[in-house]
Amino acid sequence: MLASRRPTTSSTWQFVILIVVVMFTGLSQGLLLPLLTIFLERMGVPSDVNGLNATALYVGVFGMMFLVERILIKVGYKRMLLGGMIVVTVALGLFPLFPSIGVWFVLRIIVGMGDSALHYATQLWAVSVSPANRRGRNISLYGMAYGVGFSFGPLGINLLKISDAAPFIAIVCMFLVVILIVWWKLPSQQADAVHGAERPEKRYRRSYQWAWFALLPPLLYGYMEASMNSNFPIYALRIGLEQHWISYLLPFFGIGGLILQLPLGMLSDRVNRKAVLISCGLLGGGGFFLIPLVGDNPWAILVLFMLVGGLVGSFFSLGLAYAADILPRAYLPSSNVIASIHFSIGSIIGPNLGGLGIQYVSIGSMFYLLGIWYILFSVMGFRFRGKVREAA
């Protein structure tokens, strides 16, 4: 049986498998964040402590990002993907066995480390093989796959009707299937060819110098994603929405992003990526200010979630595509590390600021802060002059 294993040589099928991996990674994150927030809220944990615990996942992502480039060069794409998925699967299976805030903090760090490894490998693979005239579209497909998983992950909350362990069992079983597909069908591929001869420190410094604006969207996206999935359940419960509305409303934020992900990516290919980012930041930031104004009306929240999610849901993928436009090819691994570190920093800051705001400022402060950050980003964009660079 082992002798009959034949990895696919089709680049199209390889891309499809990578998209499936990303989708299930998004599914696990989209479920884990609000699910554990609900459990901790049940335990009577204060919102600021709840938010702090939620950041553990991104602490793991952040710490791992200082190692992923070297690991990828040493083991290649396939082994890095498999290692990341196995780590995530084992950690997810342990959550229901150890219902403790301290153990969950550690397990979230472990999940973050696994997510970091597989995200880095898939992002770099997708960016480096995409031609410039289709880069926005291809990376948008990557973002859409993650968005599909992340958006529908909260629906797993409804499995709590069966048992508290049911959502974890379901996602572990799905991951096991994907691990088998990756091991069976993806070929081994090294990442050495995308690296230049320059020292990593020089690539990092120049990536910041040449593409700082393009590397900010992952920071905003991480802040938004973690804040929404960690703080919105608290916000919803405290304004009087029933628990099932959390599982129904959160996906619509992602659905909005899915609807506009590909059109915005294709538009950025044809027009100007910076202009698309600035426009979406201004409109999306304004939309965040409107959400607290509709109170506990779930249908109004749903509509605003779709609109705002559609505008800012492409920020991570558009930022990567814009950085790839500006930077030399040999700089893409380093810029992806920076983007992922920015995503992690935003994800750590988001739940903490949101939780503190809900606890000590106002119930709607999480949305006001989100609006301020996106509008500020757009204003900064008017000062950025992106030029296509060649290594010197």
Side-chain angles (χ1 to χ4, degrees):
M1 183 175 179
L2 290 176
S4 66
R5 184 170 70 89
R6 292 287 187 274
T8 179
T9 58
S10 167
S11 59
T12 300
W13 277 109
Q14 290 174 24
F15 185 75
V16 169
I17 293 171
L18 290 173
I19 290 298
V20 171
V21 172
V22 172
M23 183 173 66
F24 279 95
T25 304
L27 190 71
S28 69
Q29 290 187 15
L31 173 61
L32 193 63
L33 287 170
L35 183 63
L36 296 185
T37 296
I38 289 171
F39 285 153
L40 294 176
E41 183 76 0
R42 279 186 194 169
M43 297 175 190
V45 175
S47 62
D48 52 343
V49 178
N50 201 326
L52 178 63
N53 193 265
T55 63
L57 186 145
Y58 301 104
V59 170
V61 173
F62 180 79
M64 189 67 178
M65 287 317 302
F66 295 98
L67 305 173
V68 287
E69 189 172 1
R70 280 175 288 178
I71 294 173
L72 182 62
I73 295 171
K74 185 175 182 179
V75 305
Y77 288 111
K78 181 175 179 177
R79 289 183 181 179
M80 193 165 182
L81 283 175
L82 285 172
M85 286 189 291
I86 290 170
V87 167
V88 171
T89 303
V90 171
L92 287 172
L94 294 175
F95 275 102
L97 300 179
F98 301 97
S100 161
I101 187 171
V103 175
W104 284 357
F105 188 88
V106 174
L107 289 176
R108 278 175 153 173
I109 291 177
I110 294 172
V111 170
M113 294 174 70
D115 282 342
S116 180
L118 65 92
H119 267 304
Y120 180 73
T122 52
Q123 285 170 14
L124 182 56
W125 205 339
V127 171
S128 63
V129 300
S130 299
N133 64 332
R134 296 170 59 190
R135 188 173 291 137
R137 190 199 71 169
N138 287 358
I139 298 177
S140 292
L141 289 173
Y142 174 94
M144 285 178 67
Y146 178 81
V148 167
F150 199 88
S151 298
F152 290 98
L155 292 176
I157 293 172
N158 294 305
L159 294 175
L160 292 174
K161 297 173 184 177
I162 301 173
S163 73
D164 284 355
F168 298 102
I169 294 172
I171 195 65
V172 164
C173 291
M174 293 176 186
F175 256 101
L176 288 173
V177 173
V178 178
I179 287 172
L180 288 175
I181 294 173
V182 169
W183 176 76
W184 195 264
K185 299 304 295 181
L186 276 184
S188 297
Q189 185 168 331
Q190 295 302 120
D192 304 56
V194 300
H195 286 263
E198 290 179 310
R199 296 176 59 186
E201 295 82 1
K202 186 176 182 180
R203 294 200 304 270
Y204 290 130
R205 186 177 67 251
R206 285 190 165 178
S207 294
Y208 264 117
Q209 179 184 349
W210 292 343
W212 60 267
F213 181 73
L215 295 170
L216 286 179
L219 177 72
L220 287 171
Y221 187 85
Y223 182 103
M224 178 273 295
E225 179 190 89
S227 182
M228 287 296 298
N229 281 270
S230 300
N231 297 141
F232 177 71
I234 300 172
Y235 171 86
L237 291 172
R238 294 193 180 183
I239 65 172
L241 289 177
E242 296 181 12
Q243 180 176 296
H244 70 275
W245 274 112
I246 299 172
S247 67
Y248 294 141
L249 287 172
L250 277 175
F252 278 94
F253 197 92
I255 289 170
L258 294 176
I259 292 172
L260 290 184
Q261 181 93 231
L262 189 56
L264 286 175
M266 295 174 70
L267 179 65
S268 73
D269 284 335
R270 295 185 178 184
V271 185
N272 182 289
R273 264 186 258 281
K274 188 180 86 166
V276 172
L277 282 166
I278 290 175
S279 300
C280 289
L282 288 172
L283 294 172
F288 277 118
F289 279 99
L290 298 178
I291 294 173
L293 302 182
V294 301
D296 60 355
N297 185 331
W299 299 107
I301 295 174
L302 185 151
V303 171
L304 285 173
F305 271 20
M306 286 193 68
L307 292 174
V308 177
L311 291 165
V312 303
S314 303
F315 258 56
F316 194 102
S317 57
L318 286 178
L320 286 180
Y322 191 27
D325 292 339
I326 298 170
L327 296 172
R329 183 181 178 85
Y331 283 48
L332 297 185
S334 300
S335 66
N336 267 45
V337 170
I338 294 171
S340 296
I341 289 174
H342 281 184
F343 174 84
S344 303
I345 292 172
S347 301
I348 291 169
I349 295 172
N352 282 293
L353 273 185
L356 288 170
I358 291 173
Q359 190 78 10
Y360 301 109
V361 182
S362 72
I363 193 70
S365 60
M366 61 172 286
F367 295 112
Y368 299 137
L369 278 172
L370 281 164
I372 289 170
W373 300 141
Y374 276 97
I375 291 173
L376 181 61
F377 162 79
S378 296
V379 172
M380 293 170 66
F382 291 109
R383 296 181 57 86
F384 179 71
R385 298 290 181 267
K387 297 180 180 178
V388 178
R389 303 282 184 168
E390 296 296 335

Short mmCIF file of all heavy atoms in Angstrom, two decimals, residues 95-145:
data_model
loop_
_atom_site.label_atom_id
_atom_site.label_comp_id
_atom_site.label_asym_id
_atom_site.label_seq_id
_atom_site.Cartn_x
_atom_site.Cartn_y
_atom_site.Cartn_z
N PHE A 95 -7.87 19.94 24.79
CA PHE A 95 -8.68 20.99 25.43
C PHE A 95 -9.81 20.45 26.30
O PHE A 95 -9.94 20.84 27.46
CB PHE A 95 -9.23 21.96 24.37
CG PHE A 95 -8.29 23.06 24.00
CD1 PHE A 95 -7.55 23.00 22.82
CD2 PHE A 95 -8.11 24.16 24.82
CE1 PHE A 95 -6.67 24.00 22.47
CE2 PHE A 95 -7.24 25.18 24.47
CZ PHE A 95 -6.51 25.10 23.29
N PRO A 96 -10.67 19.56 25.77
CA PRO A 96 -11.78 19.10 26.62
C PRO A 96 -11.34 18.20 27.76
O PRO A 96 -12.12 18.00 28.72
CB PRO A 96 -12.68 18.34 25.63
CG PRO A 96 -11.76 17.90 24.54
CD PRO A 96 -10.75 18.99 24.42
N LEU A 97 -10.14 17.67 27.71
CA LEU A 97 -9.67 16.78 28.77
C LEU A 97 -9.15 17.54 29.98
O LEU A 97 -9.09 17.00 31.08
CB LEU A 97 -8.55 15.86 28.23
CG LEU A 97 -8.92 14.95 27.05
CD1 LEU A 97 -7.71 14.13 26.63
CD2 LEU A 97 -10.08 14.04 27.44
N PHE A 98 -8.76 18.81 29.77
CA PHE A 98 -8.18 19.60 30.85
C PHE A 98 -8.85 20.98 30.92
O PHE A 98 -8.29 21.98 30.46
CB PHE A 98 -6.68 19.76 30.64
CG PHE A 98 -5.92 18.47 30.59
CD1 PHE A 98 -5.61 17.89 29.37
CD2 PHE A 98 -5.55 17.82 31.76
CE1 PHE A 98 -4.92 16.68 29.32
CE2 PHE A 98 -4.86 16.62 31.72
CZ PHE A 98 -4.55 16.04 30.49
N PRO A 99 -10.09 21.05 31.45
CA PRO A 99 -10.83 22.34 31.51
C PRO A 99 -10.29 23.26 32.60
O PRO A 99 -10.90 23.47 33.63
CB PRO A 99 -12.26 21.89 31.80
CG PRO A 99 -12.10 20.61 32.57
CD PRO A 99 -10.88 19.94 32.00
N SER A 100 -9.13 23.83 32.33
CA SER A 100 -8.47 24.73 33.28
C SER A 100 -7.92 25.92 32.53
O SER A 100 -7.32 25.78 31.46
CB SER A 100 -7.33 23.98 33.99
OG SER A 100 -6.41 24.87 34.57
N ILE A 101 -8.08 27.11 33.08
CA ILE A 101 -7.64 28.33 32.41
C ILE A 101 -6.13 28.31 32.19
O ILE A 101 -5.63 28.76 31.17
CB ILE A 101 -8.09 29.58 33.20
CG1 ILE A 101 -7.76 30.86 32.39
CG2 ILE A 101 -7.46 29.63 34.58
CD1 ILE A 101 -8.36 32.11 33.00
N GLY A 102 -5.38 27.75 33.15
CA GLY A 102 -3.93 27.69 33.01
C GLY A 102 -3.49 26.72 31.92
O GLY A 102 -2.62 27.03 31.10
N VAL A 103 -4.10 25.54 31.90
CA VAL A 103 -3.77 24.54 30.88
C VAL A 103 -4.18 25.05 29.50
O VAL A 103 -3.44 24.88 28.52
CB VAL A 103 -4.46 23.19 31.18
CG1 VAL A 103 -4.22 22.19 30.05
CG2 VAL A 103 -3.95 22.62 32.50
N TRP A 104 -5.34 25.69 29.42
CA TRP A 104 -5.80 26.23 28.14
C TRP A 104 -4.84 27.29 27.61
O TRP A 104 -4.62 27.40 26.40
CB TRP A 104 -7.20 26.81 28.28
CG TRP A 104 -8.27 25.76 28.34
CD1 TRP A 104 -8.09 24.41 28.22
CD2 TRP A 104 -9.67 25.96 28.52
NE1 TRP A 104 -9.29 23.76 28.32
CE2 TRP A 104 -10.29 24.68 28.51
CE3 TRP A 104 -10.46 27.09 28.69
CZ2 TRP A 104 -11.66 24.52 28.67
CZ3 TRP A 104 -11.83 26.93 28.85
CH2 TRP A 104 -12.42 25.65 28.83
N PHE A 105 -4.26 28.08 28.51
CA PHE A 105 -3.29 29.09 28.09
C PHE A 105 -2.10 28.42 27.39
O PHE A 105 -1.67 28.85 26.32
CB PHE A 105 -2.82 29.89 29.30
CG PHE A 105 -1.97 31.09 28.96
CD1 PHE A 105 -2.56 32.32 28.70
CD2 PHE A 105 -0.58 30.99 28.90
CE1 PHE A 105 -1.79 33.42 28.38
CE2 PHE A 105 0.20 32.08 28.58
CZ PHE A 105 -0.41 33.31 28.33
N VAL A 106 -1.59 27.35 28.00
CA VAL A 106 -0.46 26.63 27.43
C VAL A 106 -0.85 25.98 26.10
O VAL A 106 -0.11 26.04 25.11
CB VAL A 106 0.07 25.57 28.41
CG1 VAL A 106 1.17 24.73 27.75
CG2 VAL A 106 0.60 26.24 29.67
N LEU A 107 -2.03 25.33 26.07
CA LEU A 107 -2.47 24.66 24.84
C LEU A 107 -2.69 25.66 23.71
O LEU A 107 -2.41 25.37 22.55
CB LEU A 107 -3.76 23.88 25.10
CG LEU A 107 -3.63 22.61 25.96
CD1 LEU A 107 -4.98 21.98 26.21
CD2 LEU A 107 -2.69 21.61 25.28
N ARG A 108 -3.17 26.84 24.05
CA ARG A 108 -3.35 27.87 23.02
C ARG A 108 -2.01 28.30 22.44
O ARG A 108 -1.88 28.56 21.24
CB ARG A 108 -4.08 29.09 23.62
CG ARG A 108 -5.58 28.93 23.69
CD ARG A 108 -6.22 30.09 24.39
NE ARG A 108 -7.60 30.27 23.94
CZ ARG A 108 -8.45 31.12 24.48
NH1 ARG A 108 -8.08 31.87 25.50
NH2 ARG A 108 -9.68 31.24 24.02
N ILE A 109 -0.98 28.39 23.27
CA ILE A 109 0.36 28.72 22.77
C ILE A 109 0.83 27.64 21.79
O ILE A 109 1.37 27.94 20.72
CB ILE A 109 1.35 28.85 23.94
CG1 ILE A 109 1.03 30.11 24.76
CG2 ILE A 109 2.79 28.91 23.42
CD1 ILE A 109 1.91 30.28 25.99
N ILE A 110 0.59 26.38 22.14
CA ILE A 110 1.01 25.26 21.29
C ILE A 110 0.27 25.30 19.95
O ILE A 110 0.86 25.10 18.88
CB ILE A 110 0.79 23.92 22.01
CG1 ILE A 110 1.71 23.82 23.23
CG2 ILE A 110 1.02 22.74 21.07
CD1 ILE A 110 1.44 22.63 24.12
N VAL A 111 -1.05 25.55 19.99
CA VAL A 111 -1.83 25.67 18.76
C VAL A 111 -1.27 26.81 17.90
O VAL A 111 -1.14 26.69 16.68
CB VAL A 111 -3.32 25.91 19.07
CG1 VAL A 111 -4.08 26.28 17.79
CG2 VAL A 111 -3.94 24.67 19.70
N GLY A 112 -0.93 27.92 18.54
CA GLY A 112 -0.37 29.06 17.80
C GLY A 112 0.94 28.72 17.12
O GLY A 112 1.18 29.14 15.98
N MET A 113 1.77 27.94 17.77
CA MET A 113 3.04 27.54 17.16
C MET A 113 2.81 26.66 15.93
O MET A 113 3.45 26.83 14.90
CB MET A 113 3.89 26.80 18.20
CG MET A 113 4.35 27.68 19.35
SD MET A 113 5.22 26.77 20.65
CE MET A 113 6.74 26.36 19.78
N GLY A 114 1.88 25.71 16.05
CA GLY A 114 1.56 24.86 14.90
C GLY A 114 0.95 25.64 13.76
O GLY A 114 1.32 25.46 12.59
N ASP A 115 0.01 26.54 14.08
CA ASP A 115 -0.60 27.40 13.06
C ASP A 115 0.43 28.25 12.35
O ASP A 115 0.38 28.45 11.13
CB ASP A 115 -1.67 28.31 13.69
CG ASP A 115 -2.97 27.58 13.95
OD1 ASP A 115 -3.18 26.50 13.37
OD2 ASP A 115 -3.78 28.08 14.75
N SER A 116 1.39 28.78 13.12
CA SER A 116 2.42 29.63 12.56
C SER A 116 3.24 28.88 11.51
O SER A 116 3.52 29.41 10.43
CB SER A 116 3.34 30.13 13.68
OG SER A 116 4.35 30.96 13.17
N ALA A 117 3.60 27.64 11.82
CA ALA A 117 4.41 26.84 10.91
C ALA A 117 3.69 26.57 9.59
O ALA A 117 4.24 26.78 8.50
CB ALA A 117 4.81 25.53 11.58
N LEU A 118 2.45 26.12 9.69
CA LEU A 118 1.75 25.76 8.44
C LEU A 118 1.31 26.99 7.66
O LEU A 118 1.30 26.98 6.42
CB LEU A 118 0.58 24.82 8.72
CG LEU A 118 -0.61 25.30 9.55
CD1 LEU A 118 -1.70 25.87 8.66
CD2 LEU A 118 -1.19 24.11 10.35
N HIS A 119 0.97 28.09 8.35
CA HIS A 119 0.62 29.32 7.63
C HIS A 119 1.80 29.88 6.86
O HIS A 119 1.67 30.30 5.71
CB HIS A 119 0.12 30.39 8.61
CG HIS A 119 -1.37 30.39 8.79
ND1 HIS A 119 -2.24 30.52 7.75
CD2 HIS A 119 -2.13 30.26 9.90
CE1 HIS A 119 -3.48 30.48 8.21
NE2 HIS A 119 -3.43 30.31 9.51
N TYR A 120 2.96 29.89 7.49
CA TYR A 120 4.14 30.46 6.84
C TYR A 120 4.47 29.69 5.57
O TYR A 120 4.75 30.28 4.52
CB TYR A 120 5.32 30.45 7.80
CG TYR A 120 6.58 31.03 7.19
CD1 TYR A 120 6.69 32.40 6.99
CD2 TYR A 120 7.63 30.21 6.81
CE1 TYR A 120 7.84 32.94 6.43
CE2 TYR A 120 8.78 30.75 6.24
CZ TYR A 120 8.87 32.11 6.05
OH TYR A 120 10.01 32.64 5.49
N ALA A 121 4.44 28.36 5.67
CA ALA A 121 4.77 27.54 4.51
C ALA A 121 3.79 27.77 3.36
O ALA A 121 4.18 27.94 2.21
CB ALA A 121 4.82 26.07 4.91
N THR A 122 2.49 27.78 3.67
CA THR A 122 1.50 27.93 2.61
C THR A 122 1.49 29.34 2.02
O THR A 122 1.35 29.51 0.81
CB THR A 122 0.09 27.57 3.13
OG1 THR A 122 -0.19 28.33 4.32
CG2 THR A 122 -0.03 26.10 3.46
N GLN A 123 1.65 30.36 2.87
CA GLN A 123 1.68 31.74 2.37
C GLN A 123 2.84 31.94 1.41
O GLN A 123 2.68 32.48 0.31
CB GLN A 123 1.82 32.72 3.53
CG GLN A 123 0.56 32.92 4.35
CD GLN A 123 0.86 33.71 5.61
OE1 GLN A 123 1.90 34.33 5.75
NE2 GLN A 123 -0.06 33.67 6.56
N LEU A 124 4.02 31.51 1.83
CA LEU A 124 5.20 31.72 1.01
C LEU A 124 5.10 30.96 -0.30
O LEU A 124 5.47 31.47 -1.37
CB LEU A 124 6.45 31.29 1.78
CG LEU A 124 7.78 31.51 1.06
CD1 LEU A 124 7.95 32.97 0.66
CD2 LEU A 124 8.93 31.05 1.94
N TRP A 125 4.59 29.75 -0.25
CA TRP A 125 4.42 28.95 -1.45
C TRP A 125 3.49 29.67 -2.43
O TRP A 125 3.78 29.80 -3.62
CB TRP A 125 3.83 27.59 -1.07
CG TRP A 125 4.13 26.48 -2.03
CD1 TRP A 125 4.49 26.58 -3.34
CD2 TRP A 125 4.11 25.08 -1.74
NE1 TRP A 125 4.67 25.34 -3.90
CE2 TRP A 125 4.45 24.40 -2.93
CE3 TRP A 125 3.83 24.33 -0.60
CZ2 TRP A 125 4.51 23.01 -3.00
CZ3 TRP A 125 3.90 22.95 -0.68
CH2 TRP A 125 4.24 22.31 -1.86
N ALA A 126 2.35 30.16 -1.92
CA ALA A 126 1.37 30.83 -2.78
C ALA A 126 1.91 32.11 -3.38
O ALA A 126 1.73 32.39 -4.57
CB ALA A 126 0.09 31.11 -1.99
N VAL A 127 2.60 32.92 -2.57
CA VAL A 127 3.11 34.20 -3.06
C VAL A 127 4.23 34.01 -4.07
O VAL A 127 4.27 34.65 -5.13
CB VAL A 127 3.61 35.07 -1.88
CG1 VAL A 127 4.35 36.31 -2.39
CG2 VAL A 127 2.44 35.50 -1.01
N SER A 128 5.16 33.11 -3.78
CA SER A 128 6.36 32.99 -4.61
C SER A 128 6.08 32.40 -5.99
O SER A 128 6.82 32.67 -6.94
CB SER A 128 7.41 32.14 -3.89
OG SER A 128 6.93 30.83 -3.68
N VAL A 129 5.01 31.59 -6.13
CA VAL A 129 4.73 30.98 -7.43
C VAL A 129 3.73 31.76 -8.26
O VAL A 129 3.41 31.38 -9.38
CB VAL A 129 4.22 29.52 -7.26
CG1 VAL A 129 5.24 28.67 -6.54
CG2 VAL A 129 2.87 29.49 -6.53
N SER A 130 3.21 32.86 -7.72
CA SER A 130 2.18 33.62 -8.43
C SER A 130 2.80 34.69 -9.32
O SER A 130 3.59 35.51 -8.84
CB SER A 130 1.22 34.30 -7.44
OG SER A 130 0.55 33.34 -6.65
N PRO A 131 2.48 34.72 -10.61
CA PRO A 131 2.96 35.80 -11.48
C PRO A 131 2.35 37.13 -11.07
O PRO A 131 1.26 37.18 -10.49
CB PRO A 131 2.47 35.38 -12.88
CG PRO A 131 1.31 34.47 -12.62
CD PRO A 131 1.61 33.76 -11.33
N ALA A 132 3.06 38.20 -11.36
CA ALA A 132 2.63 39.52 -10.89
C ALA A 132 1.23 39.89 -11.36
O ALA A 132 0.45 40.48 -10.61
CB ALA A 132 3.63 40.58 -11.36
N ASN A 133 0.87 39.51 -12.59
CA ASN A 133 -0.43 39.93 -13.11
C ASN A 133 -1.59 39.11 -12.55
O ASN A 133 -2.76 39.42 -12.80
CB ASN A 133 -0.43 39.84 -14.65
CG ASN A 133 -0.26 38.41 -15.15
OD1 ASN A 133 0.34 37.58 -14.49
ND2 ASN A 133 -0.78 38.14 -16.33
N ARG A 134 -1.29 38.04 -11.79
CA ARG A 134 -2.34 37.24 -11.18
C ARG A 134 -2.14 37.09 -9.67
O ARG A 134 -2.84 36.34 -9.02
CB ARG A 134 -2.38 35.85 -11.82
CG ARG A 134 -2.76 35.88 -13.29
CD ARG A 134 -2.56 34.53 -13.95
NE ARG A 134 -3.36 33.49 -13.31
CZ ARG A 134 -3.23 32.19 -13.58
NH1 ARG A 134 -2.32 31.79 -14.47
NH2 ARG A 134 -3.98 31.31 -12.99
N ARG A 135 -1.17 37.83 -9.14
CA ARG A 135 -0.81 37.67 -7.74
C ARG A 135 -1.97 38.03 -6.81
O ARG A 135 -2.26 37.32 -5.85
CB ARG A 135 0.41 38.53 -7.41
CG ARG A 135 0.99 38.30 -6.03
CD ARG A 135 2.29 39.06 -5.87
NE ARG A 135 3.33 38.48 -6.71
CZ ARG A 135 4.19 39.19 -7.44
NH1 ARG A 135 4.09 40.50 -7.47
NH2 ARG A 135 5.11 38.58 -8.16
N GLY A 136 -2.63 39.15 -7.10
CA GLY A 136 -3.75 39.56 -6.26
C GLY A 136 -4.86 38.53 -6.25
O GLY A 136 -5.43 38.22 -5.21
N ARG A 137 -5.16 37.97 -7.43
CA ARG A 137 -6.22 36.97 -7.52
C ARG A 137 -5.85 35.70 -6.76
O ARG A 137 -6.65 35.17 -5.98
CB ARG A 137 -6.49 36.62 -8.98
CG ARG A 137 -7.73 35.76 -9.17
CD ARG A 137 -7.73 35.05 -10.51
NE ARG A 137 -6.72 33.98 -10.53
CZ ARG A 137 -6.62 33.06 -11.49
NH1 ARG A 137 -7.45 33.12 -12.52
NH2 ARG A 137 -5.70 32.14 -11.46
N ASN A 138 -4.62 35.21 -6.95
CA ASN A 138 -4.20 33.97 -6.32
C ASN A 138 -4.14 34.09 -4.81
O ASN A 138 -4.58 33.20 -4.08
CB ASN A 138 -2.84 33.52 -6.87
CG ASN A 138 -2.94 33.00 -8.29
OD1 ASN A 138 -4.02 32.93 -8.86
ND2 ASN A 138 -1.81 32.65 -8.87
N ILE A 139 -3.59 35.19 -4.33
CA ILE A 139 -3.50 35.38 -2.88
C ILE A 139 -4.89 35.62 -2.30
O ILE A 139 -5.18 35.24 -1.16
CB ILE A 139 -2.54 36.53 -2.54
CG1 ILE A 139 -1.14 36.19 -3.04
CG2 ILE A 139 -2.51 36.78 -1.04
CD1 ILE A 139 -0.12 37.28 -2.82
N SER A 140 -5.78 36.22 -3.10
CA SER A 140 -7.16 36.38 -2.64
C SER A 140 -7.84 35.03 -2.48
O SER A 140 -8.62 34.82 -1.56
CB SER A 140 -7.95 37.25 -3.63
OG SER A 140 -7.49 38.58 -3.61
N LEU A 141 -7.54 34.08 -3.38
CA LEU A 141 -8.09 32.74 -3.23
C LEU A 141 -7.58 32.09 -1.95
O LEU A 141 -8.32 31.40 -1.25
CB LEU A 141 -7.71 31.89 -4.44
CG LEU A 141 -8.41 32.23 -5.76
CD1 LEU A 141 -7.82 31.42 -6.91
CD2 LEU A 141 -9.92 31.96 -5.65
N TYR A 142 -6.32 32.31 -1.66
CA TYR A 142 -5.75 31.83 -0.39
C TYR A 142 -6.50 32.45 0.79
O TYR A 142 -6.91 31.75 1.73
CB TYR A 142 -4.26 32.20 -0.34
CG TYR A 142 -3.59 31.90 0.98
CD1 TYR A 142 -2.91 30.70 1.18
CD2 TYR A 142 -3.61 32.82 2.02
CE1 TYR A 142 -2.29 30.42 2.38
CE2 TYR A 142 -2.99 32.55 3.23
CZ TYR A 142 -2.33 31.35 3.40
OH TYR A 142 -1.72 31.09 4.60
N GLY A 143 -6.68 33.77 0.72
CA GLY A 143 -7.40 34.45 1.80
C GLY A 143 -8.84 33.99 1.91
O GLY A 143 -9.38 33.88 3.00
N MET A 144 -9.47 33.72 0.75
CA MET A 144 -10.85 33.24 0.77
C MET A 144 -10.94 31.87 1.44
O MET A 144 -11.88 31.61 2.20
CB MET A 144 -11.38 33.15 -0.66
CG MET A 144 -11.73 34.48 -1.29
SD MET A 144 -12.30 34.30 -3.00
CE MET A 144 -13.86 33.44 -2.72
N ALA A 145 -9.97 31.01 1.19
CA ALA A 145 -9.99 29.68 1.79
C ALA A 145 -9.91 29.79 3.31
O ALA A 145 -10.67 29.13 4.04
CB ALA A 145 -8.84 28.83 1.26
#
